[in-house]
Amino acid sequence: MWADDRVTDGSQGLFRLREAGYAHVLGVLEEPVQCERLRYVFLPWLAEEGPVSCGTYATKDPATGKEYPFRFNYFRKGLGMPAWWKKFFTAGRAVALGYNVLAVDLDVLIMDDWYFRVKQPPLSNYHMLSQNEWGINLNCGFMYFQNASPTGPVAWILFDYMNRVVRWAEDDTWLAETSPYYSKHRGMPVTEQGMLQDCVFSCVNGRPTYAAILNIFRDDKEAYAKLNTTEHELFRALHDPLHKVWEQRKMYNVTGELASAVCEQYKETNCTAPMAQVAISSVELKMPHSGGQYPLQLGGYPFNRTLGPYALAYKAAFQELGVPLPPDPEDPATEAAARATKPELFGYLAVRDGGDSHCLGCWAQSTWMMAGKHGWWHRHLVPQQQRGKMGLGHMWAALPPGDFQKHLIYMWTGHWNRRIAARASEGRQRMFLTNQPVSGPGGRVEVPEWRAVVAYAPGVIHSGLGKEQFLAASAGLAQVATALRAIAAWPTVPCDSDWALLPEVRGKIQKPIKHSIPWSTYLDTTFQVVPFGETLDTLQCDWPGFTHVDCMVNRQPPGQEVGRGMMGVEFAALRAAQGARGAPSPQTTIDLGMGPAPAAGGVQLVDVPYAALKSLNSESVLDRLTRESVAVFWLDRLVGSVTNMTGQAGEVYKRWHTKCQALHYYTLPAAHRERW
């Protein structure tokens, strides 16, 4: 299951899960009309693949029609985003009813069967699995709950994580009376991730603890003095006991098929050798109970003891399920039952262990940082003998610089469905990022769709160009596109260009490069390039510098528009859809009035007069746009600039040059461009 407020992203996330064969997927959206729109997106596949399951929670009081303060009836005031809380509220109620639940964010990808991995030892021993954030901290973008008792620690975690926030949102008297800082600012920097972590830690400690007050009080010395402690001492008191019992490398033997499906080093090995052992970061969860005691040095009791109507309504949402609730840790009468409750096992996946090269549990669930950027998420490019080495991926940490990274990573890795995108965007032209409305400084900006694209012909950009020459040619392309009111198809970087490689292999690696996975042993996939392509032999590399929002889309108000760009991976998809129809030819090549194309491999950039460019090509552009849904116009040589570009086009490019960092890359301070 997942919860969100975006249908376009929801449709891609749902597609990835259904494509993997996971038919029983529940999406939680904000409004019923969004569920109808989601079903419309999948209409062509419903008969064959089954219905779309989608639900919503009431956003308005049914009696008065008045909207709830947070569009979710358990909150007196809003904290964060409603979808944060709806996701695990839904998961918690499902777990209470005895279901196993895979609760994911929409940026999860499927590489191989998750259930093959989790339904056999060692992972079948765990009741709660989560992605690791760092150390012993969790990331709730990926969580799995299995075989959890409705009255056990995991069920309690999924009840109390939101119960705490509902109570604070309804009555924050204790917080305000304890902390002058909070009383003045009333800021409550809490998330569902932080509250889930607090509750996991409570179960590890065997008593309810509230580390969230450290974020709420910040460095308010007066607040900590009232608790007879300091900020540092409170942190140590809450966290030191955790490290004493946490097994960060619990070892397991693996045999049979699983031994060939696990790996822990994705950066520097090809993962073909079977493994005999794996490690999982593990800890036992006990049912917490206060024993009637809330020591001040552990944070005290941070609530009003009398439940208000919001807290009572929240509790009733679980009581109405007709199953027993876990023992109440605040009720002295339930202490014996809590102590007698059977412990459950918690485990972390995707644990960064000793640097970037070693990842515990990535064979079940991986991250971009630990596996994706090394090539392992490009399912169709992984050689047969290396496949099946991980189950799922979550797009987290060390993403390329710029904007639109997650959407583009789906595309680069082959996890993006163009037909779904077209139906969700309500048009084949609208599915391109550059043609989608965005939020700008003054609010949402509706943009007309552009259907002309300018690109360099194959071979014009070559590996002999240095980065400075590449960017100069890209600026020339952008000027031609602006002059013709077209989208600039940002050129891809030849993957064997020296500046695409790691410094330590430049001048040492044989060219042309025979690409392999992991490619992070020679390509700089952290800061310079992201590969994509249909095969390893036809690999292309996008430069993430072009993904900055103002290099891609116009988000300026009318009269202040800038140009628009398209990444190489999107352009490649457009070209594949057009086939031979849009290939370079005399009819599709921009006439620069300069005669035949120069020989391949040149480095000279030409200047093109604006008046000549317009007079020689305007008629062709208009003619083709009457016949083609998207028309590609090719440049057969490197362009440095369009000279004397006046009028509206000149103003648009001037603004674009200012807004798009890639177009003035070398005027930026060195420290600002060292990582892209």
Side-chain angles (χ1 to χ4, degrees):
M1 64 144 297
W2 51 270
D4 211 282
D5 59 3
R6 301 165 296 176
V7 176
T8 51
D9 286 31
S11 61
Q12 289 287 340
L14 180 57
F15 157 74
R16 287 188 289 275
L17 293 166
R18 287 167 72 100
E19 182 197 37
Y22 303 158
H24 193 190
V25 181
L26 173 63
V28 179
L29 286 165
E30 285 290 291
E31 298 285 357
V33 68
Q34 292 179 305
C35 285
E36 291 305 314
R37 187 178 166 205
L38 186 68
R39 292 187 183 100
Y40 163 78
V41 171
F42 285 87
L43 190 62
W45 301 278
L46 295 183
E48 181 180 350
E49 298 180 0
V52 168
S53 297
C54 180
T56 62
Y57 290 98
T59 58
K60 298 177 181 179
D61 186 326
T64 65
K66 186 178 180 180
E67 194 169 271
Y68 294 126
F70 192 46
R71 294 174 60 79
F72 194 24
N73 62 315
Y74 302 108
F75 286 83
R76 183 172 175 268
K77 64 179 181 181
L79 295 171
M81 298 174 60
W84 291 357
W85 310 104
K86 292 178 181 180
K87 175 181 171 183
F88 290 101
F89 175 71
T90 308
R93 284 162 43 97
V95 167
L97 289 170
Y99 288 96
N100 297 336
V101 179
L102 177 61
V104 297
D105 284 351
L106 289 174
D107 53 356
V108 163
L109 307 88
I110 316 296
M111 260 65 68
D112 198 53
D113 189 8
W114 156 255
Y115 293 99
F116 162 72
R117 290 157 174 78
V118 78
K119 293 304 180 184
Q120 63 176 301
L123 295 186
S124 58
N125 299 326
Y126 289 80
H127 302 90
M128 179 175 180
L129 290 161
S130 172
Q131 181 188 313
N132 179 248
E133 180 93 356
W134 59 272
I136 58 170
N137 296 282
L138 62 81
N139 182 299
C140 70
F142 178 92
M143 284 188 162
Y144 185 61
F145 311 95
Q146 64 177 344
N147 306 323
S149 166
T151 58
V154 170
W156 177 83
I157 289 167
L158 289 168
F159 169 80
D160 209 55
Y161 92 99
M162 182 169 149
N163 181 50
R164 299 175 178 208
V165 181
V166 168
R167 294 175 73 176
W168 279 334
E170 182 170 17
D171 185 349
D172 60 357
T173 303
W174 183 90
L175 297 174
E177 290 178 348
T178 305
S179 170
Y181 172 84
Y182 176 79
S183 180
K184 178 180 179 181
H185 298 282
R186 298 282 169 158
M188 197 175 292
V190 296
T191 64
E192 86 284 32
Q193 178 165 298
M195 300 313 296
L196 285 163
Q197 181 172 291
D198 263 15
C199 291
V200 168
F201 288 177
S202 294
C203 289
V204 177
N205 282 323
R207 62 172 303 112
T209 56
Y210 306 93
I213 64 174
L214 289 160
N215 290 330
I216 296 171
F217 293 166
R218 301 183 70 173
D219 59 353
D220 187 344
K221 293 180 174 57
E222 187 174 338
Y224 297 115
K226 291 179 181 178
L227 299 174
N228 295 328
T229 188
T230 66
E231 180 182 9
H232 177 71
E233 289 171 349
L234 178 57
F235 181 90
R236 292 289 302 272
L238 294 176
H239 292 87
D240 283 359
L242 304 172
H243 291 279
K244 292 179 180 178
V245 297
W246 209 292
E247 291 184 83
Q248 297 199 44
R249 292 183 59 85
K250 186 176 178 66
M251 301 302 300
Y252 292 96
N253 295 327
V254 289
T255 58
E257 288 185 68
L258 188 61
S260 298
V262 298
C263 184
E264 293 183 340
Q265 298 191 43
Y266 293 91
K267 182 179 180 180
E268 298 171 356
T269 71
N270 63 14
C271 291
T272 55
M275 293 182 61
Q277 286 190 316
V278 295
I280 302 293
S281 177
S282 309
V283 75
E284 187 178 79
L285 303 175
K286 302 180 288 290
M287 180 61 69
H289 202 280
S290 67
Q293 303 295 316
Y294 289 88
L296 290 179
Q297 60 268 33
L298 293 180
Y301 180 78
F303 304 111
N304 186 330
R305 290 189 179 275
T306 302
L307 298 183
Y310 287 90
L312 289 171
Y314 176 74
K315 187 174 183 179
F318 282 79
Q319 291 172 325
E320 70 185 16
L321 298 176
V323 296
L325 291 179
D328 182 351
E330 299 179 23
D331 184 355
T334 65
E335 183 175 4
R339 304 300 182 212
T341 299
K342 185 178 179 180
E344 295 176 330
L345 191 58
F346 175 91
Y348 273 136
L349 303 175
V351 178
R352 185 183 180 189
D353 182 55
D356 289 349
S357 62
H358 204 180
C359 181
L360 306 183
C362 268
W363 52 271
Q365 182 255 313
S366 63
T367 63
W368 175 256
M369 178 174 70
M370 301 303 296
K373 71 177 183 178
H374 307 320
W376 292 96
W377 286 8
H378 291 63
R379 290 178 304 179
H380 60 297
L381 297 182
V382 176
Q384 187 63 42
Q385 67 272 21
Q386 293 175 251
R387 292 184 181 178
K389 299 298 181 178
M390 65 182 63
L392 305 179
H394 179 218
M395 212 174 293
W396 171 85
L399 304 186
D403 302 287
F404 304 106
Q405 298 103 317
K406 293 188 176 183
H407 293 88
L408 288 164
I409 286 175
Y410 301 137
M411 299 179 201
W412 286 322
T413 57
H415 293 268
W416 184 263
N417 185 288
R418 296 282 169 186
R419 190 175 177 192
I420 292 287
R423 291 185 63 82
S425 304
E426 299 180 1
R428 290 189 178 275
Q429 292 80 38
R430 285 291 184 188
M431 72 178 176
F432 299 112
L433 296 175
T434 190
N435 276 338
Q436 294 181 7
V438 294
S439 296
R444 183 180 171 88
V445 178
E446 297 290 344
V447 294
E449 63 182 39
W450 283 9
R451 298 189 295 108
V453 179
V454 172
Y456 278 120
V460 175
I461 297 291
H462 55 87
S463 62
L465 298 177
K467 187 173 185 177
E468 193 164 352
Q469 294 168 308
F470 173 86
L471 290 178
S474 300
L477 172 80
Q479 291 172 58
V480 173
T482 303
L484 299 180
R485 199 170 182 271
I487 299 164
W490 295 121
T492 57
V493 183
C495 297
D496 53 0
S497 300
D498 273 354
W499 63 277
L501 304 176
L502 294 169
E504 58 265 31
V505 305
R506 293 173 191 169
K508 300 175 183 177
I509 192 169
Q510 184 176 349
K511 297 182 180 181
I513 296 172
K514 184 174 176 59
H515 292 289
S516 60
I517 293 174
W519 49 48
S520 48
T521 56
Y522 57 93
L523 285 175
D524 184 354
T525 56
T526 299
F527 300 127
Q528 290 296 351
V529 293
V530 182
F532 70 94
E534 292 300 315
T535 68
L536 287 173
D537 293 334
T538 59
L539 208 62
Q540 302 180 67
C541 284
D542 262 333
W543 180 57
F546 292 132
T547 70
H548 288 95
V549 60
D550 291 307
C551 302
M552 295 276 289
V553 303
N554 171 61
R555 55 177 183 155
Q556 306 306 316
Q560 296 296 315
E561 293 92 346
V562 300
R564 302 194 215 167
M566 173 185 288
M567 293 302 293
V569 68
E570 282 197 298
F571 183 63
L574 171 63
R575 288 287 299 112
Q578 291 184 330
R581 175 169 47 86
S585 69
Q587 292 73 38
T588 61
T589 299
I590 296 172
D591 187 351
L592 301 179
M594 297 181 180
V603 297
Q604 182 180 358
L605 279 68
V606 301
D607 295 332
V608 181
Y610 175 65
L613 180 66
K614 292 286 287 184
S615 65
L616 292 171
N617 296 280
S618 293
E619 186 175 338
S620 171
V621 171
L622 291 173
D623 176 62
R624 288 184 60 196
L625 287 177
T626 63
R627 296 181 286 108
E628 302 176 41
S629 59
V630 178
V632 177
F633 298 86
W634 300 96
L635 284 170
D636 63 1
R637 67 200 71 204
L638 299 170
V639 175
S641 69
V642 175
T643 59
N644 300 315
M645 187 158 55
T646 57
Q648 184 182 17
E651 291 300 315
V652 168
Y653 183 74
K654 183 179 179 181
R655 289 191 294 268
W656 200 17
H657 183 272
T658 300
K659 295 286 186 182
C660 171
Q661 296 181 66
L663 292 175
H664 60 268
Y665 179 81
Y666 283 104
T667 69
L668 300 172
H672 187 68
R673 51 184 165 86
E674 66 180 358
R675 295 194 169 192
W676 57 288

